[in-house]
């Protein structure tokens, strides 16, 4: 059985006050008794990670970084290493989010470097994949997501390195647009991704969580999570509203 994950990517949103309020509401909504069915993770902006650690320590909610550096440490102004995230008890890190790829020029090669360093440090990478609208319309969805996934798979020396990997399929055209992939469209890609990982490590593929991201809301969460290869969601906008995010979290029951 794969324990579903409901993750909130806050992107570049929040103030000290709004973060405190959001975390308090989530903490109240996710008690140890109610978190058996799914795991909740939040990804605050890096500067709010210490505040998040302080607020969530002792609660069943986990947290992680939205990004990490391509280097272990040194003269890299503005960067945050995997080891630094771990110091603040992050367990997870997003790797290769489409906004990193499109707006900050992150190539597959950069994504692979970050993936490896995160993993070596002991973080669980959530590798984000997805096609643009043009790529989908041109019929290139399979090609694009497999290219992004294979970049990581092909250079793995020890298959066990994949055992902590989580995937997030986030079609770029569905992010922040209010236009979600249909459950069938998402399922088709999730199944493809699982089959691809199975070529390298069948037992790991079976256990690997694949999250869907792109305009997940309380109103569409149920039908997406009902699909056999959708193991939860990576939620952007709707994760900033505690009530809606909790509704999404509880809808996976
Ligand atoms: P939205 O839920 O706002 O579409 O964002 C999805 C996303 O990019 C999560 O990483």
């Amino acid at each position: 059985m794969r324990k579903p994950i409901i993750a909130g990517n806050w992107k570049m949103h929040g103030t000290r006050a709004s973060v405190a309020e959001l975390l308090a509401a989530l903490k109240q909504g996710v008690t140890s008794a109610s978190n058996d069915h799914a795991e909740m993770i939040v990804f605050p902006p890096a500067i709010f990670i210490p505040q998040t650690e302080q607020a969530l320590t002792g609660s069943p909610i986990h947290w992680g970084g939205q990004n990490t550096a391509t280097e272990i440490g040194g003269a890299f102004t503005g960067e945050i290493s995997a080891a630094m995230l771990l110091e603040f008890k992050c367990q997870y890190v997003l790797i290769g989010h489409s906004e990193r790829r499109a707006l900050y020029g992150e190539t597959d090669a950069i994504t692979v470097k970050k993936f490896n360093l995160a993993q070596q440090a002991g973080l669980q990478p959530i590798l984000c994949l997805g096609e643009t609208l043009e790529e989908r319309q041109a019929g290139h969805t399979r090609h694009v997501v497999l290219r992004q996934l294979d970049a990581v798979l092909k250079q793995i020396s020890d298959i066990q390195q994949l055992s902590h990997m989580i995937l997030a399929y986030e079609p770029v055209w569905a992010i922040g647009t209010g236009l979600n992939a249909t459950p069938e469209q998402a399922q088709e890609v999730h199944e493809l991704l699982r089959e691809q990982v199975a070529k390298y490590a069948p037992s790991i593929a079976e256990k690997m969580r694949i999250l869907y991201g792109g305009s997940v809301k309380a109103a569409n969460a149920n039908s997406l999570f009902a699909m056999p290869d959708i193991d939860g969601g990576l939620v952007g906008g709707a994760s900033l509203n505690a009530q809606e995010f909790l509704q999404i979290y509880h809808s996976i029951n």
Side-chain angles (χ1 to χ4, degrees):
M1 270 306 283
R2 301 187 287 265
K3 187 171 184 176
I5 292 174
I6 302 298
N9 175 8
W10 297 356
K11 307 192 180 182
M12 197 171 72
H13 293 288
T15 60
R16 259 181 204 268
S18 73
V19 165
E21 200 180 321
L22 181 52
L23 290 172
L26 295 180
K27 210 171 146 178
Q28 202 174 22
V30 184
T31 58
S32 305
S34 72
N35 91 320
D36 279 351
H37 71 292
E39 186 177 340
M40 181 184 279
I41 311 171
V42 293
F43 291 93
I47 199 160
F48 295 125
I49 289 175
Q51 188 184 346
T52 301
E53 181 194 16
Q54 206 166 31
L56 295 185
T57 296
S59 96
I61 306 172
H62 298 130
W63 57 95
Q66 294 178 15
N67 185 26
T68 185
T70 53
E71 308 296 331
I72 291 175
F76 302 101
T77 303
E79 292 296 282
I80 293 174
S81 72
M84 290 170 186
L85 292 175
L86 273 168
E87 269 208 64
F88 291 87
K89 306 285 185 294
C90 289
Q91 286 188 29
Y92 300 90
V93 63
L94 301 181
I95 301 287
H97 190 281
S98 65
E99 285 149 21
R100 300 296 319 169
R101 294 181 192 258
L103 305 174
Y104 300 96
E106 282 193 15
T107 58
D108 287 339
I110 291 175
T111 296
V112 168
K113 241 178 140 182
K114 292 186 174 190
F115 181 95
N116 288 339
L117 283 184
Q119 181 146 266
Q120 282 156 20
L123 289 166
Q124 270 187 266
I126 301 187
L127 177 66
C128 304
L129 319 157
E131 80 288 2
T132 63
L133 184 60
E134 296 71 45
E135 288 163 342
R136 175 161 281 264
Q137 285 172 343
H140 294 158
T141 299
R142 290 175 66 92
H143 172 80
V144 171
V145 297
L146 289 181
R147 190 205 74 222
Q148 293 168 335
L149 177 59
D150 281 339
V152 168
L153 296 182
K154 282 199 172 127
Q155 50 85 49
I156 292 286
S157 51
D158 172 7
I159 261 342
Q160 285 313 317
Q161 282 179 277
L162 297 179
S163 60
H164 294 299
M165 177 172 75
I166 295 164
L167 299 182
Y169 170 55
E170 300 204 299
V172 179
W173 49 272
I175 295 179
T177 58
L179 197 74
N180 62 291
T182 65
E184 293 73 23
Q185 283 174 323
Q187 166 60 25
E188 195 182 339
V189 176
H190 283 226
E191 198 179 339
L192 173 74
L193 296 173
R194 197 180 303 286
E195 280 170 9
Q196 189 66 7
V197 173
K199 289 182 188 163
Y200 294 76
S203 60
I204 290 175
E206 199 43 50
K207 293 191 202 115
M208 179 184 67
R209 271 94 48 99
I210 310 180
L211 316 183
Y212 167 79
S215 299
V216 174
K217 309 275 180 238
N220 59 25
N222 243 327
S223 56
L224 285 159
F225 300 158
M227 303 312 278
D229 286 292
I230 300 184
D231 308 309
L234 181 53
V235 186
S239 72
L240 296 167
N241 178 313
Q243 289 327 310
E244 177 141 23
F245 191 53
L246 284 167
Q247 228 178 311
I248 294 170
Y249 173 73
H250 291 297
S251 76
I252 201 155
N253 213 342

